[in-house]
Amino acid sequence: MGIVVQKYGGTSVASVERIRRVAERVAALHSRGKPCVVTVSAMGKTTDQLIELARQVSSRPPAREMDMLLTTGEQVSIALLAMALAERGVRVRSLTGWQAGIITDAIHGKARIQGIDTRMIRGCLDRGEVVIVAGFQGKTPEGEITTLGRGGSDTTAVALAAALEAEVCEIFTDVTGVFTADPRVVPRAGKMEEISFEEMLELAHLGAGVLHPRSVECAMKYRVPLVVRSSFVEEPGTWVKEAKDMETTRNVRGIAHDMHVARIKVLGLENRIETLSRLFGILGDAHINVDMIVQSEHDAERIDVAFSVSEDEGEMAKEVIEAHREELGYLKVLYETGLAKVSAVGAGMVSRPGVAAKMFATLTDAGIRIKMVSTSEIKISCVIPRDRAVEAVRELHSAFGLDVAGAEMVGATTTKVRE
């Protein structure tokens, strides 16, 4: 029978009682003869607590030692879940990421999976064991322990499903599926029965934290059947699938928002052909992800460049640019926080004009200033003041006809920090 890969997030294993519930769900699947591989995150807020401990010890903890520390959270979860399954008479084996054969590059804190040696997992499955794999972690070819970054457990699960050619990858979380907006912000948000890989990838990148972007990239690349559902209630979830079978009558499928955006302006850069490649090459070498980019010319000699980054990388980005001031030859750098990004996403945009006009008009009518804009075939994003973000999401959700009459708040926020 086809292998089933399941992933349970931190809220799903946040207590002993919840771990027991997960064990019951996994045991029921195993009793039906399904080979089962389960990936789990650290319990509840464990990762945040470990980060706080590190900050109490060091103002700048070495990235390698942070990985050594943070991987302990998932090891607690896999051991406890394995014990709960053994208590139910299920043959089970818990594995750390490196025991499971997950090989990554050497970028501590943001490692990317390079390959998975599935021999250990397949051996366990052949013996009729349920395999519990620690999410979020792996090792380099040299044996160094690494973490995949926040949200990395999703990526672990999808990568395992791809490597094992699984029948399905089920992402269990604290929401019942993928919604048209964060249901805590928009009470009339509706759950989607299905969404395309491309749309889900955009939503994930733009703040809809129900799935991590890298997990969606992996699922799309290897065509992994993916479903998001709740670990607390028995309801159909949301299938993430190829676009060819998707309904595209709506030009906008969802509204996403990200409350942690910073903007950097580099003023007075020399107007040379290599200026942009040099600037963003420096940021890339520091592993800083840049989002929106706007360039403007003063005159033939100087240009200004503004770009957005995640707020947790903003100070680092500013420091990197200041450290290369002589090389870049700019006049001034400005750093702005207190910003958010709101985005409209939908595959139907490409064939239906007027979406951008409606989005800009909606924000303008609400008196919300737009600071930056970015577009693609299936999304439009605007950077706005953070204190207007909730209002903006609600206005846009209504303007694009996404409100569901009588809908109630369901589950937790889809902009949460995921483990």
Side-chain angles (χ1 to χ4, degrees), residues 252-285:
V252 173
R253 297 290 307 284
I255 307 296
H257 71 285
D258 180 355
M259 299 292 277
H260 306 287
V261 176
R263 179 171 66 166
I264 294 176
K265 292 182 179 180
V266 186
L267 307 180
L269 284 158
E270 293 181 352
N271 192 5
R272 298 179 180 275
I273 192 169
E274 71 275 10
T275 294
L276 292 181
S277 64
R278 186 182 301 165
L279 170 62
F280 294 107
I282 289 169
L283 293 168
D285 290 342

PDB file of all heavy atoms in Angstrom, residues 252-285:
ATOM      1  N   VAL A 252      -9.481  36.773  -7.953  1.00  0.00           N
ATOM      2  CA  VAL A 252      -8.713  36.775  -6.711  1.00  0.00           C
ATOM      3  C   VAL A 252      -9.223  35.644  -5.831  1.00  0.00           C
ATOM      4  O   VAL A 252     -10.417  35.541  -5.568  1.00  0.00           O
ATOM      5  CB  VAL A 252      -8.845  38.125  -5.965  1.00  0.00           C
ATOM      6  CG1 VAL A 252      -8.188  38.050  -4.595  1.00  0.00           C
ATOM      7  CG2 VAL A 252      -8.209  39.242  -6.785  1.00  0.00           C
ATOM      8  N   ARG A 253      -8.299  34.787  -5.369  1.00  0.00           N
ATOM      9  CA  ARG A 253      -8.679  33.654  -4.534  1.00  0.00           C
ATOM     10  C   ARG A 253      -8.474  33.923  -3.051  1.00  0.00           C
ATOM     11  O   ARG A 253      -9.111  33.294  -2.203  1.00  0.00           O
ATOM     12  CB  ARG A 253      -7.853  32.415  -4.915  1.00  0.00           C
ATOM     13  CG  ARG A 253      -8.045  31.908  -6.322  1.00  0.00           C
ATOM     14  CD  ARG A 253      -9.410  31.288  -6.556  1.00  0.00           C
ATOM     15  NE  ARG A 253      -9.771  30.258  -5.600  1.00  0.00           N
ATOM     16  CZ  ARG A 253      -9.300  29.004  -5.590  1.00  0.00           C
ATOM     17  NH1 ARG A 253      -8.402  28.634  -6.499  1.00  0.00           N
ATOM     18  NH2 ARG A 253      -9.691  28.130  -4.689  1.00  0.00           N
ATOM     19  N   GLY A 254      -7.548  34.815  -2.721  1.00  0.00           N
ATOM     20  CA  GLY A 254      -7.281  35.053  -1.307  1.00  0.00           C
ATOM     21  C   GLY A 254      -6.533  36.338  -1.061  1.00  0.00           C
ATOM     22  O   GLY A 254      -5.911  36.906  -1.971  1.00  0.00           O
ATOM     23  N   ILE A 255      -6.630  36.830   0.185  1.00  0.00           N
ATOM     24  CA  ILE A 255      -5.914  38.024   0.634  1.00  0.00           C
ATOM     25  C   ILE A 255      -4.967  37.606   1.747  1.00  0.00           C
ATOM     26  O   ILE A 255      -5.389  37.027   2.757  1.00  0.00           O
ATOM     27  CB  ILE A 255      -6.878  39.108   1.167  1.00  0.00           C
ATOM     28  CG1 ILE A 255      -7.966  39.433   0.141  1.00  0.00           C
ATOM     29  CG2 ILE A 255      -6.091  40.362   1.558  1.00  0.00           C
ATOM     30  CD1 ILE A 255      -7.466  40.037  -1.141  1.00  0.00           C
ATOM     31  N   ALA A 256      -3.684  37.870   1.557  1.00  0.00           N
ATOM     32  CA  ALA A 256      -2.671  37.533   2.566  1.00  0.00           C
ATOM     33  C   ALA A 256      -2.091  38.804   3.153  1.00  0.00           C
ATOM     34  O   ALA A 256      -2.148  39.877   2.536  1.00  0.00           O
ATOM     35  CB  ALA A 256      -1.564  36.689   1.943  1.00  0.00           C
ATOM     36  N   HIS A 257      -1.543  38.681   4.358  1.00  0.00           N
ATOM     37  CA  HIS A 257      -0.845  39.835   4.917  1.00  0.00           C
ATOM     38  C   HIS A 257       0.331  39.385   5.772  1.00  0.00           C
ATOM     39  O   HIS A 257       0.345  38.296   6.338  1.00  0.00           O
ATOM     40  CB  HIS A 257      -1.790  40.727   5.725  1.00  0.00           C
ATOM     41  CG  HIS A 257      -2.246  40.142   7.028  1.00  0.00           C
ATOM     42  ND1 HIS A 257      -3.190  39.145   7.112  1.00  0.00           N
ATOM     43  CD2 HIS A 257      -1.885  40.419   8.303  1.00  0.00           C
ATOM     44  CE1 HIS A 257      -3.411  38.834   8.372  1.00  0.00           C
ATOM     45  NE2 HIS A 257      -2.622  39.589   9.127  1.00  0.00           N
ATOM     46  N   ASP A 258       1.323  40.255   5.824  1.00  0.00           N
ATOM     47  CA  ASP A 258       2.549  40.032   6.586  1.00  0.00           C
ATOM     48  C   ASP A 258       2.771  41.278   7.435  1.00  0.00           C
ATOM     49  O   ASP A 258       2.946  42.378   6.902  1.00  0.00           O
ATOM     50  CB  ASP A 258       3.725  39.808   5.629  1.00  0.00           C
ATOM     51  CG  ASP A 258       5.048  39.578   6.347  1.00  0.00           C
ATOM     52  OD1 ASP A 258       5.096  39.688   7.587  1.00  0.00           O
ATOM     53  OD2 ASP A 258       6.040  39.284   5.661  1.00  0.00           O
ATOM     54  N   MET A 259       2.755  41.095   8.754  1.00  0.00           N
ATOM     55  CA  MET A 259       2.846  42.243   9.662  1.00  0.00           C
ATOM     56  C   MET A 259       4.279  42.614  10.035  1.00  0.00           C
ATOM     57  O   MET A 259       4.499  43.491  10.851  1.00  0.00           O
ATOM     58  CB  MET A 259       2.067  41.928  10.951  1.00  0.00           C
ATOM     59  CG  MET A 259       0.592  41.658  10.729  1.00  0.00           C
ATOM     60  SD  MET A 259      -0.317  43.119  10.204  1.00  0.00           S
ATOM     61  CE  MET A 259      -0.631  43.899  11.797  1.00  0.00           C
ATOM     62  N   HIS A 260       5.258  41.960   9.443  1.00  0.00           N
ATOM     63  CA  HIS A 260       6.645  42.156   9.870  1.00  0.00           C
ATOM     64  C   HIS A 260       7.520  42.531   8.685  1.00  0.00           C
ATOM     65  O   HIS A 260       8.380  41.766   8.249  1.00  0.00           O
ATOM     66  CB  HIS A 260       7.156  40.897  10.555  1.00  0.00           C
ATOM     67  CG  HIS A 260       6.296  40.440  11.685  1.00  0.00           C
ATOM     68  ND1 HIS A 260       6.245  41.105  12.890  1.00  0.00           N
ATOM     69  CD2 HIS A 260       5.417  39.405  11.777  1.00  0.00           C
ATOM     70  CE1 HIS A 260       5.389  40.494  13.683  1.00  0.00           C
ATOM     71  NE2 HIS A 260       4.877  39.465  13.040  1.00  0.00           N
ATOM     72  N   VAL A 261       7.310  43.732   8.187  1.00  0.00           N
ATOM     73  CA  VAL A 261       8.022  44.212   7.002  1.00  0.00           C
ATOM     74  C   VAL A 261       8.837  45.451   7.355  1.00  0.00           C
ATOM     75  O   VAL A 261       8.386  46.309   8.127  1.00  0.00           O
ATOM     76  CB  VAL A 261       7.023  44.542   5.870  1.00  0.00           C
ATOM     77  CG1 VAL A 261       7.749  45.135   4.661  1.00  0.00           C
ATOM     78  CG2 VAL A 261       6.246  43.296   5.461  1.00  0.00           C
ATOM     79  N   ALA A 262      10.024  45.518   6.815  1.00  0.00           N
ATOM     80  CA  ALA A 262      10.865  46.714   6.952  1.00  0.00           C
ATOM     81  C   ALA A 262      11.260  47.190   5.558  1.00  0.00           C
ATOM     82  O   ALA A 262      11.302  46.407   4.605  1.00  0.00           O
ATOM     83  CB  ALA A 262      12.101  46.412   7.787  1.00  0.00           C
ATOM     84  N   ARG A 263      11.544  48.481   5.447  1.00  0.00           N
ATOM     85  CA  ARG A 263      11.965  49.057   4.163  1.00  0.00           C
ATOM     86  C   ARG A 263      13.304  49.748   4.336  1.00  0.00           C
ATOM     87  O   ARG A 263      13.523  50.473   5.308  1.00  0.00           O
ATOM     88  CB  ARG A 263      10.924  50.039   3.642  1.00  0.00           C
ATOM     89  CG  ARG A 263      11.329  50.683   2.315  1.00  0.00           C
ATOM     90  CD  ARG A 263      10.213  51.479   1.683  1.00  0.00           C
ATOM     91  NE  ARG A 263       9.829  52.654   2.453  1.00  0.00           N
ATOM     92  CZ  ARG A 263       9.064  53.648   1.973  1.00  0.00           C
ATOM     93  NH1 ARG A 263       8.605  53.578   0.730  1.00  0.00           N
ATOM     94  NH2 ARG A 263       8.742  54.670   2.735  1.00  0.00           N
ATOM     95  N   ILE A 264      14.182  49.514   3.379  1.00  0.00           N
ATOM     96  CA  ILE A 264      15.488  50.164   3.372  1.00  0.00           C
ATOM     97  C   ILE A 264      15.622  50.982   2.095  1.00  0.00           C
ATOM     98  O   ILE A 264      15.309  50.488   1.002  1.00  0.00           O
ATOM     99  CB  ILE A 264      16.625  49.127   3.463  1.00  0.00           C
ATOM    100  CG1 ILE A 264      16.588  48.426   4.825  1.00  0.00           C
ATOM    101  CG2 ILE A 264      17.987  49.786   3.242  1.00  0.00           C
ATOM    102  CD1 ILE A 264      17.599  47.321   4.981  1.00  0.00           C
ATOM    103  N   LYS A 265      16.066  52.227   2.248  1.00  0.00           N
ATOM    104  CA  LYS A 265      16.333  53.094   1.102  1.00  0.00           C
ATOM    105  C   LYS A 265      17.830  53.388   1.048  1.00  0.00           C
ATOM    106  O   LYS A 265      18.402  53.847   2.033  1.00  0.00           O
ATOM    107  CB  LYS A 265      15.567  54.418   1.220  1.00  0.00           C
ATOM    108  CG  LYS A 265      14.058  54.301   1.097  1.00  0.00           C
ATOM    109  CD  LYS A 265      13.439  55.683   1.185  1.00  0.00           C
ATOM    110  CE  LYS A 265      11.931  55.649   1.044  1.00  0.00           C
ATOM    111  NZ  LYS A 265      11.344  57.013   1.134  1.00  0.00           N
ATOM    112  N   VAL A 266      18.424  53.103  -0.082  1.00  0.00           N
ATOM    113  CA  VAL A 266      19.829  53.430  -0.292  1.00  0.00           C
ATOM    114  C   VAL A 266      19.863  54.604  -1.276  1.00  0.00           C
ATOM    115  O   VAL A 266      19.522  54.455  -2.457  1.00  0.00           O
ATOM    116  CB  VAL A 266      20.625  52.231  -0.838  1.00  0.00           C
ATOM    117  CG1 VAL A 266      22.111  52.569  -0.896  1.00  0.00           C
ATOM    118  CG2 VAL A 266      20.399  50.991   0.025  1.00  0.00           C
ATOM    119  N   LEU A 267      20.246  55.762  -0.781  1.00  0.00           N
ATOM    120  CA  LEU A 267      20.165  56.998  -1.559  1.00  0.00           C
ATOM    121  C   LEU A 267      21.521  57.375  -2.151  1.00  0.00           C
ATOM    122  O   LEU A 267      22.557  57.221  -1.498  1.00  0.00           O
ATOM    123  CB  LEU A 267      19.661  58.139  -0.678  1.00  0.00           C
ATOM    124  CG  LEU A 267      18.355  57.881   0.087  1.00  0.00           C
ATOM    125  CD1 LEU A 267      17.988  59.113   0.919  1.00  0.00           C
ATOM    126  CD2 LEU A 267      17.225  57.529  -0.863  1.00  0.00           C
ATOM    127  N   GLY A 268      21.473  57.846  -3.391  1.00  0.00           N
ATOM    128  CA  GLY A 268      22.671  58.385  -4.015  1.00  0.00           C
ATOM    129  C   GLY A 268      23.688  57.358  -4.443  1.00  0.00           C
ATOM    130  O   GLY A 268      24.899  57.602  -4.397  1.00  0.00           O
ATOM    131  N   LEU A 269      23.218  56.208  -4.886  1.00  0.00           N
ATOM    132  CA  LEU A 269      24.136  55.210  -5.452  1.00  0.00           C
ATOM    133  C   LEU A 269      24.661  55.693  -6.799  1.00  0.00           C
ATOM    134  O   LEU A 269      23.955  56.385  -7.545  1.00  0.00           O
ATOM    135  CB  LEU A 269      23.405  53.877  -5.641  1.00  0.00           C
ATOM    136  CG  LEU A 269      23.151  53.028  -4.396  1.00  0.00           C
ATOM    137  CD1 LEU A 269      21.999  52.063  -4.655  1.00  0.00           C
ATOM    138  CD2 LEU A 269      24.403  52.263  -4.009  1.00  0.00           C
ATOM    139  N   GLU A 270      25.863  55.309  -7.115  1.00  0.00           N
ATOM    140  CA  GLU A 270      26.410  55.675  -8.414  1.00  0.00           C
ATOM    141  C   GLU A 270      25.618  54.991  -9.522  1.00  0.00           C
ATOM    142  O   GLU A 270      25.304  53.798  -9.444  1.00  0.00           O
ATOM    143  CB  GLU A 270      27.888  55.264  -8.503  1.00  0.00           C
ATOM    144  CG  GLU A 270      28.779  56.038  -7.564  1.00  0.00           C
ATOM    145  CD  GLU A 270      30.226  55.619  -7.687  1.00  0.00           C
ATOM    146  OE1 GLU A 270      30.501  54.622  -8.402  1.00  0.00           O
ATOM    147  OE2 GLU A 270      31.092  56.274  -7.082  1.00  0.00           O
ATOM    148  N   ASN A 271      25.272  55.743 -10.546  1.00  0.00           N
ATOM    149  CA  ASN A 271      24.442  55.241 -11.640  1.00  0.00           C
ATOM    150  C   ASN A 271      25.304  54.482 -12.653  1.00  0.00           C
ATOM    151  O   ASN A 271      25.609  54.968 -13.735  1.00  0.00           O
ATOM    152  CB  ASN A 271      23.700  56.399 -12.308  1.00  0.00           C
ATOM    153  CG  ASN A 271      22.619  55.900 -13.258  1.00  0.00           C
ATOM    154  OD1 ASN A 271      22.365  54.705 -13.357  1.00  0.00           O
ATOM    155  ND2 ASN A 271      21.967  56.826 -13.940  1.00  0.00           N
ATOM    156  N   ARG A 272      25.693  53.257 -12.246  1.00  0.00           N
ATOM    157  CA  ARG A 272      26.512  52.415 -13.101  1.00  0.00           C
ATOM    158  C   ARG A 272      25.791  51.114 -13.414  1.00  0.00           C
ATOM    159  O   ARG A 272      24.905  50.700 -12.671  1.00  0.00           O
ATOM    160  CB  ARG A 272      27.865  52.109 -12.433  1.00  0.00           C
ATOM    161  CG  ARG A 272      28.715  53.341 -12.159  1.00  0.00           C
ATOM    162  CD  ARG A 272      30.018  52.945 -11.479  1.00  0.00           C
ATOM    163  NE  ARG A 272      30.854  54.109 -11.207  1.00  0.00           N
ATOM    164  CZ  ARG A 272      31.693  54.644 -12.076  1.00  0.00           C
ATOM    165  NH1 ARG A 272      31.830  54.113 -13.287  1.00  0.00           N
ATOM    166  NH2 ARG A 272      32.414  55.696 -11.756  1.00  0.00           N
ATOM    167  N   ILE A 273      26.190  50.459 -14.480  1.00  0.00           N
ATOM    168  CA  ILE A 273      25.498  49.252 -14.922  1.00  0.00           C
ATOM    169  C   ILE A 273      25.595  48.127 -13.892  1.00  0.00           C
ATOM    170  O   ILE A 273      24.706  47.292 -13.767  1.00  0.00           O
ATOM    171  CB  ILE A 273      26.044  48.779 -16.293  1.00  0.00           C
ATOM    172  CG1 ILE A 273      25.124  47.713 -16.888  1.00  0.00           C
ATOM    173  CG2 ILE A 273      27.488  48.286 -16.165  1.00  0.00           C
ATOM    174  CD1 ILE A 273      25.431  47.381 -18.332  1.00  0.00           C
ATOM    175  N   GLU A 274      26.676  48.106 -13.102  1.00  0.00           N
ATOM    176  CA  GLU A 274      26.880  47.016 -12.146  1.00  0.00           C
ATOM    177  C   GLU A 274      26.370  47.342 -10.749  1.00  0.00           C
ATOM    178  O   GLU A 274      26.479  46.509  -9.827  1.00  0.00           O
ATOM    179  CB  GLU A 274      28.369  46.673 -12.059  1.00  0.00           C
ATOM    180  CG  GLU A 274      29.238  47.711 -11.362  1.00  0.00           C
ATOM    181  CD  GLU A 274      29.706  48.836 -12.285  1.00  0.00           C
ATOM    182  OE1 GLU A 274      29.185  48.902 -13.424  1.00  0.00           O
ATOM    183  OE2 GLU A 274      30.578  49.622 -11.880  1.00  0.00           O
ATOM    184  N   THR A 275      25.774  48.507 -10.529  1.00  0.00           N
ATOM    185  CA  THR A 275      25.401  48.941  -9.180  1.00  0.00           C
ATOM    186  C   THR A 275      24.417  47.989  -8.508  1.00  0.00           C
ATOM    187  O   THR A 275      24.605  47.579  -7.366  1.00  0.00           O
ATOM    188  CB  THR A 275      24.813  50.363  -9.220  1.00  0.00           C
ATOM    189  OG1 THR A 275      25.834  51.286  -9.619  1.00  0.00           O
ATOM    190  CG2 THR A 275      24.290  50.770  -7.849  1.00  0.00           C
ATOM    191  N   LEU A 276      23.330  47.642  -9.205  1.00  0.00           N
ATOM    192  CA  LEU A 276      22.307  46.788  -8.590  1.00  0.00           C
ATOM    193  C   LEU A 276      22.844  45.386  -8.319  1.00  0.00           C
ATOM    194  O   LEU A 276      22.563  44.806  -7.265  1.00  0.00           O
ATOM    195  CB  LEU A 276      21.069  46.721  -9.484  1.00  0.00           C
ATOM    196  CG  LEU A 276      20.266  48.014  -9.615  1.00  0.00           C
ATOM    197  CD1 LEU A 276      19.050  47.794 -10.507  1.00  0.00           C
ATOM    198  CD2 LEU A 276      19.824  48.523  -8.252  1.00  0.00           C
ATOM    199  N   SER A 277      23.594  44.830  -9.253  1.00  0.00           N
ATOM    200  CA  SER A 277      24.125  43.485  -9.033  1.00  0.00           C
ATOM    201  C   SER A 277      25.087  43.471  -7.846  1.00  0.00           C
ATOM    202  O   SER A 277      25.126  42.511  -7.077  1.00  0.00           O
ATOM    203  CB  SER A 277      24.821  42.966 -10.288  1.00  0.00           C
ATOM    204  OG  SER A 277      25.952  43.756 -10.607  1.00  0.00           O
ATOM    205  N   ARG A 278      25.828  44.551  -7.678  1.00  0.00           N
ATOM    206  CA  ARG A 278      26.765  44.624  -6.561  1.00  0.00           C
ATOM    207  C   ARG A 278      26.017  44.733  -5.239  1.00  0.00           C
ATOM    208  O   ARG A 278      26.315  44.018  -4.272  1.00  0.00           O
ATOM    209  CB  ARG A 278      27.693  45.822  -6.739  1.00  0.00           C
ATOM    210  CG  ARG A 278      28.799  45.897  -5.694  1.00  0.00           C
ATOM    211  CD  ARG A 278      29.649  47.133  -5.907  1.00  0.00           C
ATOM    212  NE  ARG A 278      30.265  47.155  -7.231  1.00  0.00           N
ATOM    213  CZ  ARG A 278      30.805  48.219  -7.794  1.00  0.00           C
ATOM    214  NH1 ARG A 278      30.771  49.383  -7.150  1.00  0.00           N
ATOM    215  NH2 ARG A 278      31.362  48.159  -8.977  1.00  0.00           N
ATOM    216  N   LEU A 279      25.006  45.613  -5.184  1.00  0.00           N
ATOM    217  CA  LEU A 279      24.232  45.820  -3.956  1.00  0.00           C
ATOM    218  C   LEU A 279      23.540  44.530  -3.519  1.00  0.00           C
ATOM    219  O   LEU A 279      23.669  44.082  -2.371  1.00  0.00           O
ATOM    220  CB  LEU A 279      23.203  46.935  -4.170  1.00  0.00           C
ATOM    221  CG  LEU A 279      22.149  47.110  -3.066  1.00  0.00           C
ATOM    222  CD1 LEU A 279      22.813  47.485  -1.739  1.00  0.00           C
ATOM    223  CD2 LEU A 279      21.125  48.169  -3.470  1.00  0.00           C
ATOM    224  N   PHE A 280      22.788  43.922  -4.440  1.00  0.00           N
ATOM    225  CA  PHE A 280      22.012  42.748  -4.051  1.00  0.00           C
ATOM    226  C   PHE A 280      22.864  41.485  -3.990  1.00  0.00           C
ATOM    227  O   PHE A 280      22.480  40.507  -3.341  1.00  0.00           O
ATOM    228  CB  PHE A 280      20.806  42.601  -4.979  1.00  0.00           C
ATOM    229  CG  PHE A 280      19.827  43.731  -4.803  1.00  0.00           C
ATOM    230  CD1 PHE A 280      19.697  44.718  -5.768  1.00  0.00           C
ATOM    231  CD2 PHE A 280      19.075  43.832  -3.647  1.00  0.00           C
ATOM    232  CE1 PHE A 280      18.823  45.774  -5.594  1.00  0.00           C
ATOM    233  CE2 PHE A 280      18.196  44.883  -3.456  1.00  0.00           C
ATOM    234  CZ  PHE A 280      18.064  45.857  -4.433  1.00  0.00           C
ATOM    235  N   GLY A 281      24.025  41.521  -4.621  1.00  0.00           N
ATOM    236  CA  GLY A 281      24.979  40.429  -4.441  1.00  0.00           C
ATOM    237  C   GLY A 281      25.519  40.395  -3.024  1.00  0.00           C
ATOM    238  O   GLY A 281      25.665  39.328  -2.422  1.00  0.00           O
ATOM    239  N   ILE A 282      25.797  41.565  -2.487  1.00  0.00           N
ATOM    240  CA  ILE A 282      26.276  41.667  -1.100  1.00  0.00           C
ATOM    241  C   ILE A 282      25.219  41.150  -0.131  1.00  0.00           C
ATOM    242  O   ILE A 282      25.513  40.400   0.810  1.00  0.00           O
ATOM    243  CB  ILE A 282      26.658  43.128  -0.781  1.00  0.00           C
ATOM    244  CG1 ILE A 282      27.938  43.512  -1.524  1.00  0.00           C
ATOM    245  CG2 ILE A 282      26.815  43.345   0.718  1.00  0.00           C
ATOM    246  CD1 ILE A 282      28.253  44.995  -1.482  1.00  0.00           C
ATOM    247  N   LEU A 283      23.967  41.539  -0.353  1.00  0.00           N
ATOM    248  CA  LEU A 283      22.883  41.068   0.514  1.00  0.00           C
ATOM    249  C   LEU A 283      22.681  39.561   0.357  1.00  0.00           C
ATOM    250  O   LEU A 283      22.424  38.852   1.337  1.00  0.00           O
ATOM    251  CB  LEU A 283      21.592  41.816   0.182  1.00  0.00           C
ATOM    252  CG  LEU A 283      21.596  43.308   0.525  1.00  0.00           C
ATOM    253  CD1 LEU A 283      20.402  44.009  -0.103  1.00  0.00           C
ATOM    254  CD2 LEU A 283      21.595  43.505   2.038  1.00  0.00           C
ATOM    255  N   GLY A 284      22.796  39.070  -0.872  1.00  0.00           N
ATOM    256  CA  GLY A 284      22.654  37.636  -1.101  1.00  0.00           C
ATOM    257  C   GLY A 284      23.740  36.839  -0.408  1.00  0.00           C
ATOM    258  O   GLY A 284      23.479  35.770   0.147  1.00  0.00           O
ATOM    259  N   ASP A 285      24.960  37.348  -0.427  1.00  0.00           N
ATOM    260  CA  ASP A 285      26.063  36.670   0.242  1.00  0.00           C
ATOM    261  C   ASP A 285      25.833  36.584   1.750  1.00  0.00           C
ATOM    262  O   ASP A 285      26.348  35.683   2.412  1.00  0.00           O
ATOM    263  CB  ASP A 285      27.386  37.392  -0.025  1.00  0.00           C
ATOM    264  CG  ASP A 285      27.849  37.234  -1.465  1.00  0.00           C
ATOM    265  OD1 ASP A 285      27.355  36.318  -2.157  1.00  0.00           O
ATOM    266  OD2 ASP A 285      28.696  38.042  -1.903  1.00  0.00           O
TER     267      ASP A 285
END
